[in-house]
């Protein structure tokens, strides 16, 4: 299988490429990146990428594929297809499945299943504690050797600080990144949305920003004390950004991610008891959105992850208190980044790709995120100027829980190539 | 007036004129209640269901009597003795009730926003009889009716609301309604029971009862849920009463002719002392009477709006 991508604007931050170039792919690998390549003759797919961007496949280091256990929400097949149309070629899935990814058998299952039905590269993330219960360490070494790219109890914090300290120390021995979901559940109490005027207005119990910030502070301190790196998941508040910025300045080995909803939406969209805006951490306020954008711009926030969290309509079309937390994210992330960050002058396209390809690859230790010669051809072709209206009914994901239905966004994925195989062609998933 | 409204979900969404219109209608209803024969034909042929997911005495009873005084067919469903126990969702329960030709569903639910969810899924009019910590619009309407009766006008009055504001749907509905009608609303309660950024609703927040009560025209006590103490929101009932209980001595900070209201049921000796409850400023009994009139007005005004017969065609 040979592919020639012609006349595209290639952006590859890792290799400092930012020019009109052609890319030649053979047997799944990138063979040549030069101007005016001529490989005519023989069986070859020529992609005309004129006026389009040709960039490394996006990498999402935080998603939920729901398999095994919750296949009615999503499975590895539907989840990877959703990722592919969103321009993602590699994704790391969180361990809150049923059973939990806390042993090598489940890691094996996911790898085998992904190879069989998945259309993008899938990297499992293992649990920090057995059953995500926060009581005993999972077999982190075995998980690592089975193939996890990191460990996390995503969905909750390891509330026991001593155990979290041990987890950091222990995982460091295996060079396994620890991804921290920061939320002090005693401060959350029965809260269901951000605490502030909107929670007062709607009569819903609020979640104080302190619930996130005290845990970010704790985990940063534990990282500093142990010397083990830590990655803070889904940063949503002004205070959390400030804590991380300060820690980085001190030399703490902390990295962090935010998600598109934290730089595009506030708790105002919860009005009318909109359960598609129910998410954890909750949507915050205008000043938090501004702080997140500032953190993205000044480099405090390294990564944009989706936290793709599919839920069935029956789990969302209920009383707000009862509704499940989370929104689907693969199919809107890139366009939200382009529309709300690149178009608004907050990030350049290069910087956006740094946060959606290069940095997540580096944090997880994946040899991905760039367009290198002799590297697997994970490439997407995007039109960053094309506008479209989000229609959740057209999503490839099994679930439709997105607050962006009806939004006008800019940026479409025309081709997704994974390991030299065309998965999306002319905006159509094959 | 109320032209485009199928449902009464809260006072937050109503205009000053709409609230006044409801209060005026309630005055007419009170006239009917004062007659020897209380039966009127206003709601003949209309069916009204009360769907309560929480216990209630006065709200439920006054809705049912209001419906019956106006000749509606009324029936009630309690969550504790229905398909809800079998795990039926609110939407499915609502749809079932709707298909039986119901014109109005009156719902009380422990979760804020439940009536809004129901209203989106049924053709019947939905009346909120209390949802979580959000709103209890008919309670606030009957409070305003009681105040208006005694004071003539709500604009310019100082109303002090004392107690657990954070968890109180009665407080929220009164805050929305009273501020729209031009009252000055002052609240006081333990800082742990004041919701965040409450000042943005246009009320003044005090930490001391005395300050909030100073020169008040109306004093409203709120029921303190005893389980709040167990959740660590204040140390003991005793300490709560010491700092926030309203007794005759504290009531002297209010105006000479101040009115005392409480939505009931009262914890005697906790949020209000017995001498205050039974004292000459207390309008707790009048509130109950006006509750029936207000609910007659609401049923009358909304019975023409919801419901559909097409499922029988």
């Amino acid at each position: 299988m040979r592919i020639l991508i012609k006349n595209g604007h290639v952006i590859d931050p890792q290799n400092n490429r930012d020019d009109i170039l052609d890319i030649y792919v053979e047997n799944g690998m990138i063979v040549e990146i030069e101007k005016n390549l001529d490989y005519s003759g023989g069986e070859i797919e020529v992609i005309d990428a004129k006026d389009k961007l040709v960039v490394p496949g996006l990498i999402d280091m935080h998603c939920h594929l729901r398999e095994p256990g919750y296949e009615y929400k999503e499975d590895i097949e539907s989840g990877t297809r959703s990722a592919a149309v969103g321009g993602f070629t590699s994704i790391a899935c969180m361990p809150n499945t049923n059973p939990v990814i806390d042993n090598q058998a489940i890691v094996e299952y996911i790898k085998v299943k992904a190879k069989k039905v998945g259309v993008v590269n899938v990297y499992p993330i293992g649990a920090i504690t057995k059953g995500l219960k926060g009581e005993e360490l999972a077999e982190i070494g075995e998980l690592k050797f089975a193939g996890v790219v990191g460990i996390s109890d995503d969905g909750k914090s390891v509330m026991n600080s001593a155990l979290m300290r041990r987890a950091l120390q222990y995982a460091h021995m295996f060079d396994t990144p620890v991804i921290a979901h920061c939320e002090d559940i005693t401060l959350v109490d029965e809260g269901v949305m951000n605490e502030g005027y909107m929670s007062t207005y709607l009569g819903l119990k609020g979640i104080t920003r302190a619930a996130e910030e005290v845990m970010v502070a704790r985990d940063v301190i534990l990282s500093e004390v142990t010397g083990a790196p830590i990655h803070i998941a889904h940063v949503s508040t002004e205070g959390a950004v400030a804590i991380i910025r300060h820690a980085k300045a001190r030399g703490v080995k902390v990295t962090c991610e935010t998600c598109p909803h934290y730089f595009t939406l506030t708790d105002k969209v919860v009005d009318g008891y909109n359960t598609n805006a129910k998410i954890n951490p909750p949507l915050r306020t205008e000043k938090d959105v501004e702080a997140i954008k500032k953190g993205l711009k000044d480099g405090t926030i390294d990564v944009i992850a989706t936290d793709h969290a599919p839920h069935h309509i029956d789990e969302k079309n209920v009383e707000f208190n009862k509704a499940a937390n989370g929104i689907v994210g693969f199919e809107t992330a890139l366009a939200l980044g382009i529309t709300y960050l690149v178009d608004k002058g907050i990030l350049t396209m290069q910087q956006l790709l740094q946060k959606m390809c290069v940095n997540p690859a580096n944090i997880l230790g994946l040899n991905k995120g760039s367009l290198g010669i002799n590297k697997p051809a994970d490439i997407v072709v995007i039109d960053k100027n094309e506008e479209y209206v989000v229609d959740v009914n057209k999503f490839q994901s099994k679930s439709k829980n997105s607050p962006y239905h009806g939004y006008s966004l800019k940026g479409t994925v025309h081709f997704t190539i994974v390991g030299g195989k065309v998965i999306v062609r002319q905006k159509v998933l094959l | 007036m109320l032209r485009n409204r199928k449902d009464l979900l809260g006072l937050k969404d109503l205009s000053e004129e709409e609230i006044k219109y409801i209060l005026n209608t309630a005055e007419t209803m009170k006239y009917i209640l004062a007659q020897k024969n209380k039966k009127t034909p206003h709601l003949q042929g209309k069916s009204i269901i009360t769907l309560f997911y929480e216990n209630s005495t006065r709200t439920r009873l006054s809705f049912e009597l209001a419906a019956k005084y106006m000749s509606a067919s009324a029936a009630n469903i309690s969550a504790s003795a229905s398909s809800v126990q079998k795990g039926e969702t609110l939407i499915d329960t609502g749809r079932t009730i709707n298909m039986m030709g119901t014109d109005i569903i009156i719902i009380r639910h422990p979760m804020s926003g439940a009536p809004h969810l129901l209203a989106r899924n049924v053709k019947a009019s939905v009346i909120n009889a209390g949802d979580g910590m959000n709103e209890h619009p008919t309670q606030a309407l009957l409070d305003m009716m009681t105040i208006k009766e005694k004071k003539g006008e709500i604009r310019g009055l100082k109303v002090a609301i004392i107690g657990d504001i954070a968890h109180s749907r009665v407080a929220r509905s009164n805050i929305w309604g009273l501020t729209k009608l031009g009252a000055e609303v002052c609240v006081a309660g333990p800082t742990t029971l004041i919701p965040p950024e409450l000042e943005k609703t246009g009320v003044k927040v005090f930490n001391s009862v005395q300050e909030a009560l100073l020169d008040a025209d109306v004093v409203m006590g709120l029921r303190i849920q005893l389980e709040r103490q167990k959740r660590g929101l204040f140390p003991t009932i005793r300490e709560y009463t010491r700092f926030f209980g309203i007794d005759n001595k504290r009531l002297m900070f209010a105006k000479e002719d101040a009115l005392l209201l409480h939505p009931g049921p009262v914890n005697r000796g906790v949020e209000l002392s017995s001498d205050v409850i039974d004292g000459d400023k207390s309008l707790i009994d009048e509130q109950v009477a006006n509750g029936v009139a207000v609910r007659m007005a609401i049923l009358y005004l909304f019975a023409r709006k919801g419901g559909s017969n097409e499922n029988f065609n």
Side-chain angles (χ1 to χ4, degrees):
Chain A
M1 187 65 202
R2 301 157 69 217
I3 303 168
L4 182 61
I5 306 169
K6 291 284 290 174
N7 299 319
H9 178 178
V10 174
I11 302 181
D12 177 12
Q14 185 88 316
N15 296 307
N16 277 320
R17 287 198 188 91
D18 189 349
D19 204 353
I20 307 295
L21 294 165
D22 297 347
I23 300 180
Y24 175 64
V25 174
E26 194 177 303
N27 293 328
M29 309 297 264
I30 297 175
V31 173
E32 201 175 2
I33 306 177
E34 284 299 335
K35 279 191 185 289
N36 303 317
L37 288 177
D38 185 7
Y39 277 92
S40 51
E43 185 106 346
I44 188 163
E45 174 167 359
V46 179
I47 294 168
D48 176 16
K50 194 172 174 329
D51 300 326
K52 299 200 174 57
L53 299 181
V54 180
V55 304
L58 305 180
I59 297 176
D60 186 14
M61 65 178 294
H62 189 147
C63 71
H64 300 269
L65 294 180
R66 304 299 189 209
E67 183 176 353
Y70 306 103
E71 291 84 352
Y72 66 97
K73 301 176 196 244
E74 192 84 286
D75 57 27
I76 290 170
E77 185 176 3
S78 66
T80 56
R81 288 169 71 82
S82 174
V85 295
F88 292 91
T89 56
S90 295
I91 58 178
C93 55
M94 284 296 174
N96 59 339
T97 46
N98 185 17
V100 169
I101 311 177
D102 63 358
N103 62 77
Q104 53 183 350
I106 306 297
V107 179
E108 283 301 328
Y109 170 82
I110 290 168
K111 281 165 59 184
V112 168
K113 193 73 193 284
K115 199 151 264 173
K116 213 164 118 189
V117 300
V119 297
V120 305
N121 305 302
V122 175
Y123 298 96
I125 292 169
I128 298 173
T129 65
K130 291 191 186 91
L132 303 174
K133 289 204 174 93
E135 291 162 2
E136 297 170 54
L137 291 183
E139 292 166 334
I140 295 166
E142 282 208 353
L143 286 168
K144 169 79 182 184
F145 280 90
V148 303
V149 293
I151 54 168
S152 179
D153 271 6
D154 185 55
K156 40 191 162 182
S157 271
V158 176
M159 284 297 291
N160 181 331
S161 303
L163 187 62
M164 187 61 175
R165 179 190 173 201
R166 298 296 177 219
L168 282 162
Q169 282 180 318
Y170 192 84
H172 193 26
M173 164 171 69
F174 293 103
D175 218 5
T176 303
V178 177
I179 301 165
H181 170 112
C182 293
E183 180 188 23
D184 183 327
I185 49 163
T186 63
L187 282 168
V188 172
D189 199 6
E190 293 171 336
V192 293
M193 70 173 293
N194 182 54
E195 182 179 279
Y197 178 67
M198 282 311 290
S199 66
T200 294
Y201 179 84
L202 292 168
L204 291 170
K205 281 204 181 156
I207 302 171
T208 167
R209 58 190 58 244
E212 177 171 341
E213 291 164 7
V214 298
M215 268 309 175
V216 171
R218 183 200 75 169
D219 287 348
V220 160
I221 290 165
L222 290 177
S223 162
E224 189 167 20
V225 164
T226 56
I230 194 157
H231 177 81
I232 309 292
H234 42 52
V235 170
S236 78
T237 76
E238 182 185 30
V241 176
I243 292 164
I244 294 162
R245 183 179 289 125
H246 183 241
K248 283 188 165 186
R250 282 202 318 276
V252 182
K253 288 188 269 179
V254 57
T255 54
C256 71
E257 75 197 25
T258 191
C259 312
H261 33 278
Y262 301 122
F263 60 74
T264 58
L265 301 176
T266 67
D267 57 0
K268 286 201 180 91
V269 300
V270 178
D271 195 12
Y273 304 93
N274 177 9
T275 55
N276 280 330
K278 187 179 177 188
I279 184 158
N280 186 21
L283 298 174
R284 307 286 184 182
T285 63
E286 205 57 59
K287 77 178 172 105
D288 298 293
V289 168
E290 289 312 309
I292 295 289
K293 287 185 192 165
K294 200 159 162 261
L296 283 164
K297 195 178 171 76
D298 72 13
T300 303
I301 301 175
D302 306 271
V303 170
I304 296 169
T306 67
D307 197 359
H308 178 80
H311 287 295
H312 194 270
I313 175 107
D314 288 346
E315 296 163 317
K316 284 291 192 181
N317 200 14
V318 292
E319 296 87 329
F320 194 86
N321 289 33
K322 280 191 187 169
N325 278 310
I327 68 178
V328 289
F330 286 141
E331 295 173 60
T332 47
L334 177 64
L336 289 167
I338 290 171
T339 311
Y340 286 81
L341 299 175
V342 178
D343 258 22
K344 296 279 192 306
I346 290 154
L347 296 182
T348 62
M349 198 64 207
Q350 285 81 350
Q351 288 168 323
L352 181 70
L353 293 170
Q354 190 85 34
K355 292 176 198 297
M356 296 185 81
C357 315
V358 182
N359 293 347
N362 290 343
I363 291 165
L364 297 180
L366 308 177
N367 186 19
K368 297 261 176 202
S370 64
L371 300 172
I373 306 299
N374 290 328
K375 285 179 80 171
D378 293 347
I379 306 169
V380 294
V381 178
I382 60 187
D383 184 340
K384 76 177 177 72
N385 298 315
E386 189 178 9
E387 286 187 45
Y388 77 107
V389 175
V390 178
D391 179 355
V392 295
N393 302 308
K394 293 190 176 143
F395 281 180
Q396 291 295 331
S397 172
K398 280 188 189 177
S399 294
K400 314 295 172 197
N401 50 308
S402 168
Y404 297 109
H405 183 65
Y407 273 54
S408 267
L409 300 179
K410 241 183 182 179
T412 50
V413 174
H414 285 247
F415 287 84
T416 302
I417 300 166
V418 183
K421 192 177 168 200
V422 178
I423 304 297
V424 174
R425 180 180 287 132
Q426 306 282 19
K427 298 203 272 186
V428 177
L429 182 72
L430 302 178
Chain B
M1 216 53 84
L2 298 167
R3 205 167 288 135
N4 298 317
R5 299 188 186 279
K6 174 173 84 77
D7 315 292
L8 177 67
L9 302 175
L11 298 191
K12 192 158 46 191
D13 343 292
L14 295 190
S15 67
E16 180 185 353
E17 289 68 34
E18 287 173 311
I19 293 172
K20 285 183 168 166
Y21 180 62
I22 295 169
L23 293 178
N24 289 338
T25 311
E27 278 171 33
T28 312
M29 294 301 172
K30 196 166 182 185
Y31 175 78
I32 293 169
L33 284 171
Q35 308 306 308
K36 277 223 159 58
N37 185 345
K38 290 191 284 281
K39 202 79 169 171
T40 79
H42 287 110
L43 297 184
Q44 210 155 40
K46 296 289 179 185
S47 63
I48 293 169
I49 302 290
T50 58
L51 173 61
F52 274 48
Y53 289 78
E54 277 183 349
N55 296 332
S56 159
T57 309
R58 64 205 76 209
T59 304
R60 177 171 212 150
L61 192 56
S62 66
F63 265 117
E64 280 182 24
L65 286 174
K68 283 172 180 166
Y69 291 154
M70 293 193 291
S71 307
S73 320
N76 69 74
I77 304 170
S78 293
S80 54
S82 68
S83 307
V84 174
Q85 285 298 309
K86 300 178 187 170
E88 188 170 59
T89 66
L90 174 60
I91 292 176
D92 287 344
T93 304
R95 277 212 288 243
T96 305
I97 298 170
N98 194 55
M99 289 309 283
M100 294 184 189
T102 304
D103 298 288
I104 294 183
I105 303 173
I106 298 155
I107 180 172
R108 167 167 290 189
H109 200 285
M111 294 177 189
S112 304
H116 306 66
L117 179 70
L118 179 66
R120 285 196 291 269
N121 286 282
V122 296
K123 287 219 167 93
S125 287
V126 172
I127 308 295
N128 182 359
D131 64 322
M133 317 187 301
N134 180 40
E135 286 228 38
H136 191 352
T138 57
Q139 176 69 44
L141 287 165
L142 74 88
D143 293 339
M144 287 188 276
M145 179 183 182
T146 309
I147 296 167
K148 198 165 159 247
E149 267 181 0
K150 299 291 171 187
K151 297 287 182 187
E153 179 67 52
I154 284 177
R155 185 163 298 279
L157 295 180
K158 177 178 170 178
V159 182
I161 306 178
I162 311 295
D164 179 1
I165 311 295
H167 299 92
S168 176
R169 53 198 177 206
V170 175
R172 275 191 180 69
S173 280
N174 266 300
I175 287 169
W176 301 123
L178 287 166
T179 52
K180 279 177 189 187
L181 265 53
E184 182 198 351
V185 180
C186 298
V187 308
T191 42
T192 47
L193 295 174
I194 301 290
E197 301 182 43
L198 186 64
E199 292 87 350
K200 277 197 194 167
T201 62
V203 308
K204 289 194 184 123
V205 180
F206 296 95
N207 293 332
S208 106
V209 176
Q210 285 87 340
E211 278 179 84
L213 290 183
L214 193 65
D215 291 328
D217 298 286
V218 180
V219 178
M220 194 178 290
L222 297 173
R223 179 177 169 80
I224 184 92
Q225 303 278 353
L226 302 179
E227 73 258 19
R228 307 275 177 237
Q229 183 268 327
K230 293 200 180 66
R231 295 190 65 86
L233 291 161
F234 56 91
T236 58
I237 296 289
R238 183 170 160 272
E239 177 153 319
Y240 178 85
T241 305
R242 171 161 172 196
F243 291 100
F244 295 98
I246 300 169
D247 56 16
N248 266 330
K249 219 167 111 202
R250 283 211 170 116
L251 209 47
M252 304 231 302
F253 284 89
K255 281 190 183 153
E256 185 75 41
D257 59 349
L259 314 175
L260 180 96
L261 276 65
H262 188 290
V266 191
N267 296 302
R268 280 188 179 255
V270 181
E271 65 261 15
L272 298 181
S273 67
S274 281
D275 50 358
V276 165
I277 296 168
D278 305 323
D280 57 359
K281 289 184 166 60
S282 170
L283 292 170
I284 295 173
D285 292 340
E286 282 83 348
Q287 286 175 274
V288 174
N290 286 340
V292 181
V294 158
R295 282 157 188 143
M296 285 170 75
I298 293 297
L299 295 181
Y300 172 68
L301 293 171
F302 283 85
R304 291 168 292 179
K305 294 170 176 294
S308 152
N309 299 320
E310 66 195 38
N311 37 317
F312 295 116
N313 288 345

